[in-house]
């Protein structure tokens, strides 16, 4: 049987074969599928790299010129700032950094008040919150910058009664001790000024060498501008070596320039006539850094006190040793005594003998330190050695004793001294805060007041001094005509406010223009008191500084002196009638002043006797306050006057708080 197959043409067979070959690579190998071997007669050439000239041209690199430019700028800026910072720190005691910090914060504070000082601040809960944060900013700036900034901060603190309460609380801390410089820096200042080491200048030894004096390398006190070291010289004199901090000389120029610039900016922004006062203030601050000027002031005050019988024996001015002093180093007599703020040590019972005074009174020599203890301490070779002996035997064995003094006698001496400076001599110490006053006990049992730190003084010309004496006398007798004429000649537009600021109590003898204006406030205005009344305070400042050319700039520092003395009296419980004592010196100076003619003295003597009778009325107020104080119904006359001022000032938008020495 035959089988027939369909006929297939050669063309179809070739197509089928090609299709099979094309899919063969995608078919997995199998044992059932025979391996096919493809053979070709075609020959291949060996591989050769492509020649470079046949390749396409390379694309240009992506360029970022802005990135490179700003990177270079940042690098150059960083290098420049780093170099400036290094040079500033090395050669200018960081003056540029301090100035930049001041300008930056000044701008922030100015903008903050410009935006938020309104009844409803947009970026604060209240005006009090605005005051609080700016008080903290300013305080931190002054503390961080140090030096003269601290001095300016203390000046603000003494006048903080007219600032918002938030500033008052913050600036009470300005009287804390400033950080002290290292002994290496102290030694450098002494070498630069004298060209010798401290051992050669003062004749001391730090190893206990026989026949030499001794000196402590750790400061006993440190303030904003200088620090004080104790030393005992070869001849037995104990001295206080006051050494200016090394950076002050480099910083003072920049600091004062910055102070001027910031004051000008604030004068412009807030429309307050403050810039005209800057030259006088900066001149006084600059003189504080000149210790030769301080030595001159101390010598002049010592002579004035010695020639005034009412103060000689009650007031003591330490001697300055010129041969051991320079522009940045002042060596003066060491003072043992009790600071004015130590009320308990002043009043506790005296444990010494009956006719004995406290150590150093009337300039008596001090007992020497124990030689064995000194050698033992020096042998330890520490920089914080304490070599000065404790001289507190007058406190008794149990340490509970004191000087046994009357606070009335202490304050009477103080008010007498500063009144004589103001009305009789015209040379006024402008920094009589408690840290600059020591009290010692005389053998008679009376106090001896020692006044130190004579860097800040103002001089009152005779004509102005007589005017100021007459001004005070007119205040006490309600002589409004004379009062108005005097303040008008000083360029003051509001006699009431100025009189109250001088007395530190409301002046009730004027035309009541101030209280009258305050009584016309509407209910809506009273609700906005925090804003509107502080605006009135700004106007009050402009009224006091009405004509800047006529206004006696000495009044800035005279007011500071009066304010501090008032604070001292208040701190001690108002033991004296300060206003009466001051007024009495003012009237008496018009009789005793050596630059008045005999006819003027005779005329003023008759007026002075009448004036003394007028002053009896102030005694009625004073003793009335003392009776209330005795029965626990008040704290004395100064507190009563302050309460009256507080009520008046509150209507002017000011919260008075005179406790500048608290804490």
């Amino acid at each position: 049987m035959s089988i027939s197959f369909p006929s297939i043409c050669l063309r179809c067979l070739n197509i089928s074969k090609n299709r099979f070959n094309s899919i063969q690579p995608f078919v997995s190998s199998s044992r059932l599928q025979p391996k096919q071997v493809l053979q070709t007669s075609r020959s291949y050439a060996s591989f050769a790299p492509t020649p470079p000239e046949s390749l396409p041209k390379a694309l240009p690199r992506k360029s970022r010129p802005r990135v490179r430019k700003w990177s270079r700028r940042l690098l150059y800026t960083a290098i420049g700032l780093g170099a400036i910072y290094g040079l500033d720190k090395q050669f200018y005691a960081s003056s540029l950094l301090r100035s930049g910090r001041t300008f930056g914060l000044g701008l922030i504070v100015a903008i903050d008040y410009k935006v938020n000082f309104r009844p409803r601040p947009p970026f604060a809960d209240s005006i009090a919150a605005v005051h609080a944060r700016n008080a903290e900013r300013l305080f931190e700036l002054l503390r961080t910058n140090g030096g003269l900034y601290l001095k300016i901060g203390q000046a603000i603190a003494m006048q903080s009664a007219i600032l918002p309460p938030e500033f008052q609380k913050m600036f009470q801390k300005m009287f804390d001790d400033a950080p002290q410089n290292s002994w290496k820096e102290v030694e450098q200042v002494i070498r630069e000024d004298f060209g010798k080491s401290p051992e050669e200048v003062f004749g001391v030894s730090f190893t206990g060498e026989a026949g030499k004096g001794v000196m402590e390398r750790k400061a006993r006190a440190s303030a904003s501008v200088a620090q004080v070291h104790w030393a005992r010289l070869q001849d037995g004199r104990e001295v206080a070596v006051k050494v200016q901090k090394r950076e002050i000389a480099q910083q003072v120029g920049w600091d004062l320039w910055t102070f001027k610039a910031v004051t000008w900016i604030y004068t412009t922004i807030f429309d307050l006539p403050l810039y005209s006062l800057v030259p006088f203030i900066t001149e006084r601050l600059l003189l504080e850094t000149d210790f030769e000027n301080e030595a001159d002031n101390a010598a002049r005050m010592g002579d004035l006190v010695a020639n005034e019988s009412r103060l000689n024996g009650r007031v003591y001015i330490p001697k300055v040793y010129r041969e051991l002093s320079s522009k940045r180093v002042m060596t003066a007599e060491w003072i043992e005594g009790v600071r004015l703020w130590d009320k308990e040590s002043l009043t506790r019972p005296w444990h010494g003998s009956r006719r004995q005074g406290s150590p150093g009174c009337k300039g008596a020599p001090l007992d020497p330190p124990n030689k064995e203890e000194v050698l033992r301490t020096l042998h330890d070779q520490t920089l914080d050695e304490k070599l000065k002996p404790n001289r507190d035997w007058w406190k008794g064995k149990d340490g509970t004793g004191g000087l046994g003094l009357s606070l009335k006698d202490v304050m009477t001496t103080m008010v007498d001294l500063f009144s004589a400076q103001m009305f009789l001599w015209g040379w006024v110490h402008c920094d009589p805060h408690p840290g600059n006053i020591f009290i010692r006990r005389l053998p008679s049992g009376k106090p001896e007041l020692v006044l130190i730190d004579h860097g800040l003084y103002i001089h009152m010309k005779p004509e102005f001094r007589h005017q100021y004496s007459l001004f005070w006398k007119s205040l006490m007798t309600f002589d409004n005509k004379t009062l108005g004429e005097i303040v008008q000649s000083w360029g003051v537009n509001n006699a009431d406010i100025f009189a109250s600021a001088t007395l530190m109590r409301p002046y009730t003898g004027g035309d009541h223009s101030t209280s009258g204006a305050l009584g016309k406030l509407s209910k809506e205005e009273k609700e906005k008191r925090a804003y509107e009344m502080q605006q009135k305070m700004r106007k009050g400042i402009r009224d006091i500084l009405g004509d800047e050319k006529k206004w006696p700039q000495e009044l800035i520092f005279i007011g500071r002196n009066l304010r501090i003395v008032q604070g001292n009296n208040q701190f001690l419980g108002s033991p004296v009638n300060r206003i009466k004592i001051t007024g009495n010196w003012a009237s008496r100076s018009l009789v005793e002043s050596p630059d008045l003619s005999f006819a003027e003295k005779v005329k003023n003597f008759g007026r002075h006797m009448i004036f003394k009778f007028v002053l009896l009325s102030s005694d009625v107020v004073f003793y009335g306050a003392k009776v209330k104080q005795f029965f626990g119904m008040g704290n004395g006359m100064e507190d009563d006057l302050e309460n009256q001022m507080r009520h008046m000032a509150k209507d002017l938008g000011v919260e008075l708080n005179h406790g500048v020495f608290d804490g």
Side-chain angles (χ1 to χ4, degrees):
M1 178 176 148
S2 61
I3 299 172
S4 60
F5 291 94
S7 60
I8 301 173
C9 69
L10 185 60
R11 183 171 174 267
C12 292
L13 185 62
N14 288 335
I15 291 171
S16 299
K17 184 179 179 181
N18 290 336
R19 283 179 179 173
F20 177 78
N21 288 336
S22 65
I23 65 171
Q24 188 178 4
F26 301 100
V27 179
S28 58
S29 61
S30 174
R31 292 178 184 176
L32 298 176
Q33 187 176 5
K35 189 178 292 184
Q36 296 183 4
V37 180
L38 296 179
Q39 295 180 353
T40 177
S41 59
R42 187 176 176 182
S43 62
Y44 291 93
S46 61
F47 175 79
T50 306
E53 58 270 12
S54 65
L55 294 173
K57 290 184 178 180
L59 293 173
R61 184 180 177 183
K62 284 188 177 181
S63 176
R64 294 184 175 87
R66 298 179 94 186
V67 173
R68 288 203 304 273
K69 180 171 71 175
W70 282 103
S71 297
R72 282 198 302 270
R73 286 180 178 177
L74 287 173
L75 178 63
Y76 295 154
T77 302
I79 293 172
L81 289 175
I84 291 171
Y85 175 80
L87 291 170
D88 180 41
K89 189 173 182 180
Q90 181 69 27
F91 299 105
Y92 298 101
S94 300
S95 297
L96 291 175
L97 177 65
R98 289 148 52 88
S99 299
R101 192 185 291 136
T102 303
F103 277 113
L105 186 127
L107 184 62
I108 291 170
V109 171
I111 292 172
D112 195 2
Y113 273 112
K114 204 69 179 173
V115 172
N116 292 306
F117 191 64
R118 54 197 70 211
R120 293 182 180 177
F123 301 106
D125 295 334
S126 63
I127 290 180
V130 177
H131 288 323
R133 68 193 182 199
N134 285 304
E136 187 172 356
R137 286 167 178 164
L138 185 57
F139 175 79
E140 289 301 325
L141 170 75
L142 297 173
R143 291 289 292 181
T144 303
N145 280 357
L148 275 187
Y149 282 85
L150 276 179
K151 194 62 100 172
I152 293 169
Q154 290 170 1
I156 295 172
M158 292 313 309
Q159 303 300 329
S160 68
I162 64 170
L163 296 174
E166 294 76 18
F167 280 85
Q168 296 169 19
K169 292 171 187 173
M170 187 61 68
F171 277 81
Q172 286 173 7
K173 305 173 188 175
M174 289 306 302
F175 293 97
D176 295 344
D177 269 1
Q180 60 176 268
N181 285 8
S182 66
W183 173 252
K184 183 179 178 182
E185 291 171 299
V186 171
E187 187 175 15
Q188 212 166 352
V189 170
I190 294 172
R191 283 183 179 277
E192 288 171 359
D193 275 28
F194 292 95
K196 302 176 184 177
S197 68
E199 294 95 319
E200 294 173 291
V201 174
F202 300 106
V204 298
S205 169
F206 297 114
T207 58
E209 185 181 341
K212 295 284 187 179
V214 290
M215 183 176 185
E216 291 182 347
R217 286 175 282 192
K218 184 177 180 180
R220 284 273 167 173
S222 178
S224 53
V225 171
Q227 57 193 54
V228 177
H229 295 259
W230 174 88
R232 188 175 180 92
L233 306 181
Q234 287 174 286
D235 57 11
R237 290 177 294 172
E238 285 195 18
V239 296
V241 182
K242 183 177 180 179
V243 183
Q244 188 177 116
K245 294 180 176 177
R246 190 166 183 268
E247 64 273 14
I248 294 296
Q250 298 166 306
Q251 293 172 348
V252 63
W254 283 95
D255 290 352
L256 293 179
W257 178 83
T258 305
F259 174 60
K260 289 178 185 178
V262 171
T263 306
W264 181 84
I265 292 169
Y266 275 67
T267 298
T268 305
I269 294 175
F270 296 108
D271 190 26
L272 286 173
L274 301 175
Y275 187 70
S276 61
L277 307 176
V278 168
F280 185 76
I281 295 172
T282 53
E283 183 187 2
R284 303 271 81 71
L285 290 174
L286 192 59
L287 284 172
E288 274 204 90
T289 64
D290 182 355
F291 289 174
E292 289 178 348
N293 171 71
E294 182 174 349
D296 291 340
N297 289 336
R300 182 187 296 112
M301 188 50 53
D303 291 340
L304 291 170
V305 168
N307 293 319
E308 174 53 60
S309 59
R310 288 163 291 194
L311 293 171
N312 188 11
R314 299 168 61 202
V315 176
Y316 190 85
I317 308 297
K319 302 181 190 74
V320 176
Y321 303 112
R322 298 281 188 150
E323 70 278 10
L324 300 175
S325 300
S326 66
K327 271 194 174 295
R328 293 188 296 168
V329 179
M330 191 181 81
T331 306
E333 178 183 359
W334 180 265
I335 297 298
E336 292 281 350
V338 175
R339 301 273 189 175
L340 189 67
W341 56 51
D342 191 354
K343 198 188 306 185
E344 290 188 351
S345 293
L346 291 176
T347 56
R348 282 177 178 170
W350 172 252
H351 285 189
S353 60
R354 190 170 182 181
R355 302 298 295 178
Q356 186 179 24
S358 60
C361 69
K362 288 188 173 182
L366 297 167
D367 54 295
N370 185 289
K371 287 185 179 180
E372 292 180 1
E373 289 184 8
V374 169
L375 289 172
R376 189 162 51 248
T377 305
L378 291 174
H379 181 72
D380 294 337
Q381 289 293 310
T382 60
L383 292 177
D384 60 346
E385 68 270 6
K386 291 187 177 181
L387 306 174
K388 188 185 83 67
N390 289 323
R391 299 183 174 101
D392 54 359
W393 49 262
W394 46 272
K395 290 185 177 181
K397 293 181 180 179
D398 55 2
T400 59
L403 295 180
L405 298 174
S406 160
L407 293 179
K408 180 180 178 181
D409 290 342
V410 171
M411 270 313 302
T412 299
T413 302
M414 185 186 303
V415 179
D416 281 344
L417 171 62
F418 294 118
S419 296
Q421 290 183 354
M422 209 170 290
F423 301 114
L424 194 60
W425 305 325
W427 286 98
V428 185
H429 187 297
C430 299
D431 203 13
H433 68 77
N436 286 338
I437 296 173
F438 285 93
I439 305 297
R440 302 191 291 207
R441 179 188 169 99
L442 294 169
S444 63
K446 294 291 183 181
E448 179 184 50
L449 186 148
V450 183
L451 183 63
I452 65 170
D453 197 353
H454 298 268
L456 184 57
Y457 270 75
I458 57 112
H459 177 231
M460 301 168 70
K461 294 179 181 177
E463 182 183 357
F464 172 59
R465 179 164 50 83
H466 297 154
Q467 275 188 328
Y468 194 66
S469 299
L470 189 58
F471 170 74
W472 258 89
K473 191 174 178 181
S474 302
L475 285 177
M476 304 298 293
T477 56
F478 297 146
D479 184 355
N480 299 316
K481 182 183 176 184
T482 305
L483 194 66
E485 290 172 355
I486 293 172
V487 298
Q488 199 170 15
S489 70
W490 292 345
V492 177
N493 293 336
N494 192 318
D496 269 15
I497 293 180
F498 187 71
S500 299
T502 302
L503 287 171
M504 276 162 279
R505 67 170 173 80
Y507 178 64
T508 56
D511 59 6
H512 304 285
S513 58
T514 303
S515 56
L518 296 170
K520 295 175 183 176
L521 295 174
S522 66
K523 183 179 179 182
E524 183 180 351
E525 286 176 320
K526 288 180 180 178
E527 290 174 353
K528 296 179 180 179
R529 179 173 306 231
Y531 172 72
E532 299 291 346
M533 291 299 92
Q534 289 183 40
Q535 291 288 70
K536 284 186 176 289
M537 184 59 193
R538 188 166 69 171
K539 182 180 181 300
I541 294 174
R542 285 199 296 267
D543 285 343
I544 290 178
L545 301 174
D547 190 337
E548 302 166 50
K549 294 178 182 178
K550 292 182 181 178
W551 203 77
Q553 296 179 331
E554 295 86 352
L555 289 171
I556 302 169
F557 292 100
I558 292 172
R560 172 186 167 91
N561 178 290
L562 289 170
R563 167 69 197 94
I564 299 175
V565 173
Q566 188 251 0
N568 291 337
N569 190 34
Q570 186 177 0
F571 175 74
L572 295 180
S574 304
V576 299
N577 185 346
R578 174 185 58 86
I579 292 176
K580 177 188 173 183
I581 298 172
T582 306
N584 191 43
W585 273 93
S587 178
R588 188 165 56 196
S589 70
L590 294 172
V591 179
E592 301 177 356
S593 182
D595 41 40
L596 288 174
S597 66
F598 180 75
E600 286 178 305
K601 289 181 180 180
V602 171
K603 184 171 65 175
N604 290 335
F605 179 76
R607 292 173 179 172
H608 175 62
M609 298 310 295
I610 298 171
F611 178 72
K612 288 182 73 71
F613 283 104
V614 173
L615 285 180
L616 293 175
S617 61
S618 70
D619 276 336
V620 175
V621 178
F622 174 73
Y623 287 109
K626 293 298 283 185
V627 171
K628 287 168 61 180
Q629 187 179 15
F630 179 78
F631 288 105
M633 299 168 63
N635 294 317
M637 183 178 177
E638 295 287 8
D639 279 76
D640 290 347
L641 295 179
E642 184 183 319
N643 288 332
Q644 294 175 32
M645 274 296 285
R646 188 176 280 125
H647 288 304
M648 174 183 168
K650 198 168 185 179
D651 288 329
L652 281 167
V654 182
E655 293 288 340
L656 281 183
N657 175 17
H658 282 146
V660 293
F661 303 129
D662 293 349

